[in-house]
Each structure stands twice: as C-alpha cells, then as structure tokens.
Amino acid sequence: MTNPIYLDYAATTPIAPEVVDSMLPYLSNTALFGNPSSLHSFGEKSGDAVEYARKTIAEYLHCKAKELIFTSGATESNNLAIKGIASAYRNQGKHIITSAIEHKAVLDTCKYLETQGFEVTYLRPNNKGLIVLDDILNAITGETILVSIMQVNNETGVIQPIGEIAQALKDKPLFFHVDAAQSAGKIAIDLSTTPIDLMSISAHKFYGPKGIGGLYISKRKKPHLQPIVHGGGQEHGLRPGTLPTHQIVGMATAFQLAQKNLSKDFEHCRQLKRSLLDILLQVEGVTLNGGQEHALPNIINLSFDQVGSDSLIIALRDSLAISSGSACNSGAIEASHVLRAMGIEGDRLYGAIRISLGRYTTEAEIKKAGHAIAEEIRRLRELALT
Ligand SMILES: Cc1ncc(COP(=O)(O)O)c(C=O)c1O
C-alpha cells in the first residue's frame, strides 16, 4: 500500500535529507558522542558542534549566540518563558496578556498560572484572525508583566503584526514573548530590529528533527527567568540536562536550509495553494477561513457547508493526511478554539479542515488531493440527502 499524500506540514514536517546527513556523525562516529559539558576531548568536540550550531541559528535570527538556549521544542520554550517570567516577576505584577488563538502550549500554561493567582486576559482576534494592537495596549494595566502573542497561527496561517506590537511595547515595563513555532524557518525574522524579549522556536516545523527547539532571551531588557527544571546547570541553569548534540546540529542545518530556500519555499507553497484553491473554490458552499492578506501560504483552512470535518478526514484517510485544525490536541477532533474565537459558528466551525503543505509537496499531489476532497464532499452531501 502506498502512503497517503502528506498534507499536514503544520503538525510536523518530514526531516530534510541534508539535516539527517549532518546529524549522522554525531550518532555514529566514535569520537563525536561525548557529553558537550565534559572537559575531555570527546566533550570538547561535541561542545564545539553545539556552539557552532548556536552561532548558525543566531545568524539566521540576527541575535547573539548567547541569547539562545536549547530546549526540547516550542512547548517547553513557551512554558519556560511564561512560567519563568511569572514566577520571577510575581512581586511586580500578576497580570498576563495573551490571545484566545494561541497554541495550547501557551493557553494551558496561562490557565495553570490562573490557578496560582495570576490574572490572564485572552484577547479575541478580529474576524480575519488578526490580533489588534490597540486591544493589547488597552488591556495593559500597572500589574501587567508579560504579553505573549504567536507570530503565525498554526490553524489559519495568519501572520500577526509582531513587529508593530514589539515596537509599541518596547519601552513598557513588561516583557513581550512570541511563539514562533510556525514562523521560524518560514519567514525572515530579524531580532536585531524587532524588540522581542523572548521567542520560542521548534525544529520539527521546518524540516529539522523532533524534540529540539530553543528560547531566545534578549539581552536588551534582560528578562530574568525562573527555571522550571533544576539540575546540572547547563544553558545558564535555565535548562539543565545533557545537550543532545545531534538534535542541535540538525536544527542548525534546518535553519541553514531555511535561509537558502526561504523565498523559493514560500513561492512554491503560494503556487500550490493557488492550484488547490482553483479546484476547491469551485465546490459549492466552501469558505476560506482567516484573512488571506497576511497569511503564510503553507496553511489553508477551509470549511464546507453540510459536511463535518471528521467524516471528511476519516473518509479520505487512506489517500490524504489532513487535519481538522490543531493536530497537537492529541488527535482529538473537537471544534477549533481558534475559529471559535474568530466568531465562526455552526457548519463553518465543525466542517473546518486544515491542509498544510511544504517543500516536498508536488503540484501533482495537490491536484490529486483537491479533486479527491471535492469528490468526497459531493459524495458526503449526497449521502446526507438519502
Ligand atoms: C504555534 C505552535 N506553538 C507551539 C507548538 C508546540 O511545538 P512543539 O511540538 O515543538 O512542542 C506548536 C505545534 O504544533 C505550534 O504550532
């Protein structure tokens, strides 16, 4: 049996062959397996590879290498940033601002902090899925210590005005955290001109390995974070634990590839999106969710009247791998909190599917997928009538 066509790149991407090649020596070479913290030559070789990788990633992000620490991914980085600020600055204030369309790694962290006496404002986006700067500014009180807004939404692909928000918050006595899990490696990020204080990244969203990510901690406002894990003192004591050299090297290669392919990947996705929409917008009762003016082309969120997303995804599961929204919600099909927050209801809410594509998706695959979806919609609607 052949594999279904993979259209769930926002959940995770296949690892690039170049990334695998760069990681292999750190898994198989008998001189390169050392603990990067060790003082002997084995440790030194691994340590050098880790620091070279840190420098490479910092170059892509336009920040200093010492402003980056390695974590297991964006979930951990988001937890460390938000809980780390909350516990370090709780005497300054107990108010956090975020948005209702964040990933659960931010939302559930904030929910947890509410049980610890913090107050959280969850801003709703407009009907295009955009967070409005004035809403953030109006929500700030003397107690606000942190604003956390994602750069690209994982369900709609909508890009938030992070640069504008960062400029507006830069002189305020609070910190600005950005969840860049869906944007790092897909759009250029210049931290030397964008005054973000903390930023979470994850390698497996852009052709790197799973289980590795990072947190950027700016030297500008120097946020002091309380660690959430305690141990051997690695990563300035903020994220102790033996560093996984092969994963870190893989993430750096993924960033190098991203740098090289940024506009090519973007244009490729834009063309594929156009081909898919040429087919699917012909179907009656279809809606494209999320504003299209400021969106990454690799994520396409569509609703079909009278068709539940679960029936569609299950009916197509042998030929297409697509999702109903946030696949990170442990596979459960439930109405999307993102679309709900955008004011979407009824069929449009329960019928939404997310198609996400990337570097290795082909025009032939996208056309095949488009026709299969259109055909299945017709079949499911006919079935519902009989
Ligand atoms: C916006 C966003 N934040 C955080 C995460 C979690 O990332 P990780 O899998 O690296 O923990 C995801 C994964 O889907 C995401 O899309």
Side-chain angles (χ1 to χ4, degrees):
M1 208 179 96
T2 53
N3 279 335
I5 298 172
Y6 187 75
L7 293 173
D8 204 10
Y9 274 70
T12 196
T13 54
I15 188 161
E18 298 92 328
V19 170
V20 176
D21 288 346
S22 72
M23 291 171 70
L24 280 176
Y26 295 92
L27 290 164
S28 57
N29 187 313
T30 51
L32 294 178
F33 68 91
N35 185 329
S37 306
S38 301
L39 294 178
H40 46 66
S41 67
F42 290 90
E44 199 181 354
K45 286 202 179 81
S46 303
D48 286 351
V50 165
E51 293 320 312
Y52 185 73
R54 204 188 301 272
K55 210 167 125 256
T56 305
I57 299 168
E59 268 163 29
Y60 174 91
L61 297 172
H62 299 272
C63 67
K64 298 186 187 82
K66 55 182 184 244
E67 291 175 308
L68 277 177
I69 64 162
F70 294 114
T71 66
S72 63
T75 299
E76 186 188 334
S77 298
N78 288 343
N79 270 265
L80 176 57
I82 299 169
K83 288 184 196 155
I85 289 287
S87 47
Y89 293 89
R90 62 185 309 141
N91 292 332
Q92 187 178 309
K94 285 188 153 189
H95 180 228
I96 294 169
I97 299 171
T98 187
S99 84
I101 57 167
E102 298 299 309
H103 188 270
K104 295 280 179 187
V106 166
L107 290 178
D108 285 2
T109 304
C110 288
K111 291 252 146 50
Y112 163 75
L113 287 174
E114 285 179 300
T115 70
Q116 303 301 303
F118 286 84
E119 193 200 326
V120 183
T121 301
Y122 300 93
L123 297 173
R124 281 184 62 152
N126 66 15
N127 62 4
K128 293 182 166 181
L130 268 181
I131 304 298
V132 178
L133 173 61
D134 276 348
D135 290 348
I136 298 177
L137 298 177
N138 291 335
I140 295 173
T141 71
E143 286 271 306
T144 311
I145 50 172
L146 178 72
V147 175
S148 179
I149 303 287
M150 70 200 329
Q151 185 163 25
V152 167
N153 185 270
N154 49 303
E155 294 191 33
T156 60
V158 170
I159 307 170
Q160 302 300 335
I162 290 305
E164 202 188 323
I165 299 170
Q167 289 300 339
L169 299 182
K170 94 171 183 288
D171 298 322
K172 300 206 182 291
L174 51 80
F175 298 106
F176 180 38
H177 166 246
V178 174
D179 176 355
Q182 293 289 347
S183 52
K186 296 187 197 115
I187 41 181
I189 300 177
D190 187 345
L191 289 168
S192 71
T193 54
T194 315
I196 290 169
D197 302 307
L198 298 145
M199 191 175 84
S200 305
I201 56 175
S202 176
H204 76 99
K205 302 292 185 184
F206 61 101
Y207 317 99
K210 294 172 189 51
I212 186 74
L215 181 66
Y216 159 77
I217 308 169
S218 166
K219 291 272 175 232
R220 203 178 49 89
K221 273 193 197 167
K222 293 197 183 72
H224 170 71
L225 298 185
Q226 204 60 254
I228 49 179
V229 177
H230 300 90
Q234 290 93 339
E235 303 299 86
H236 318 294
L238 283 172
R239 207 291 187 160
T242 302
L243 289 168
T245 314
H246 60 296
Q247 306 282 79
I248 292 169
V249 167
M251 177 156 76
T253 310
F255 266 116
Q256 276 174 326
L257 287 173
Q259 180 91 49
K260 200 169 107 203
N261 293 312
L262 213 60
S263 47
K264 197 169 142 212
D265 282 349
F266 188 94
E267 189 48 34
H268 177 62
C269 290
R270 211 176 58 82
Q271 277 177 22
L272 293 176
K273 176 177 176 178
R274 191 182 306 142
S275 301
L276 182 74
L277 292 182
D278 280 349
I279 299 167
L280 290 180
L281 293 181
Q282 306 287 327
V283 177
E284 242 176 76
V286 57
T287 323
L288 199 48
N289 298 312
Q292 300 300 300
E293 307 84 2
H294 305 284
L296 272 190
N298 62 310
I299 301 181
I300 303 151
N301 194 306
L302 294 155
S303 301
F304 300 93
D305 293 352
Q306 300 145 14
V307 177
S309 57
D310 45 355
S311 328
L312 185 62
I313 291 166
I314 291 163
L316 290 169
R317 75 187 292 280
D318 288 341
S319 51
L320 301 183
I322 52 176
S323 132
S324 64
S326 176
C328 298
N329 289 345
S330 59
I333 296 186
E334 54 184 56
S336 151
H337 69 279
V338 173
L339 300 186
R340 209 191 276 278
M342 286 162 60
I344 295 173
E345 303 173 322
D347 272 8
R348 250 186 91 192
L349 178 63
Y350 289 95
I353 57 164
R354 176 185 73 179
I355 299 167
S356 51
L357 30 99
R359 193 178 290 162
Y360 307 118
T361 312
T362 65
E363 180 77 22
E365 283 178 326
I366 214 70
K367 285 197 168 135
K368 199 168 164 195
H371 290 301
I373 294 169
E375 181 67 22
E376 194 55 38
I377 298 282
R378 276 182 216 109
R379 195 185 71 84
L380 288 169
R381 283 180 180 157
E382 268 166 31
L383 264 183
L385 289 178
T386 54

